[in-house]
Amino acid sequence: SELKKMLPGSNLMTASGITPTTAPLAIAMGASGVGVGTYISSASNLEEMTRRVKELVISVNTFAAKFTNTVKVQNLLSV
């Protein structure tokens, strides 16, 4: 990401509106981590909270690498 280029060695985190859909996109775009407090705490019970955490982990592990490869290819093409 452009911000990471300006701040090499910095860790960037995003925490607004993160869901299983947006978490892998944020990682792919250069975030070092994501805050998921509202997504988890808005669940109605502990079982739902646990399900949401697992859903986030699976989403990031499944899709972030695919998005990252796409982003790298697009960046190379725009140079």
Side-chain angles (χ1 to χ4, degrees), residues 3-76:
L3 192 53
K4 281 194 124 179
K5 289 178 188 175
M6 293 174 16
L7 302 167
S10 297
N11 291 315
L12 304 173
M13 182 176 158
T14 184
S16 183
I18 299 299
T19 67
T21 301
T22 60
L25 294 171
I27 298 295
M29 295 307 295
S32 303
V34 292
V36 294
T38 301
Y39 182 71
I40 302 303
S41 65
S42 64
S44 60
N45 57 55
L46 184 58
E47 290 79 18
E48 178 66 12
M49 287 180 177
T50 303
R51 186 194 66 72
R52 287 182 177 197
V53 169
K54 290 178 181 178
E55 183 181 27
L56 283 161
V57 170
I58 290 168
S59 178
V60 169
N61 287 340
T62 302
F63 298 109
K66 292 177 185 176
F67 290 133
T68 301
N69 291 335
T70 301
V71 169
K72 286 180 183 174
V73 169
Q74 288 175 343
N75 286 343
L76 288 173

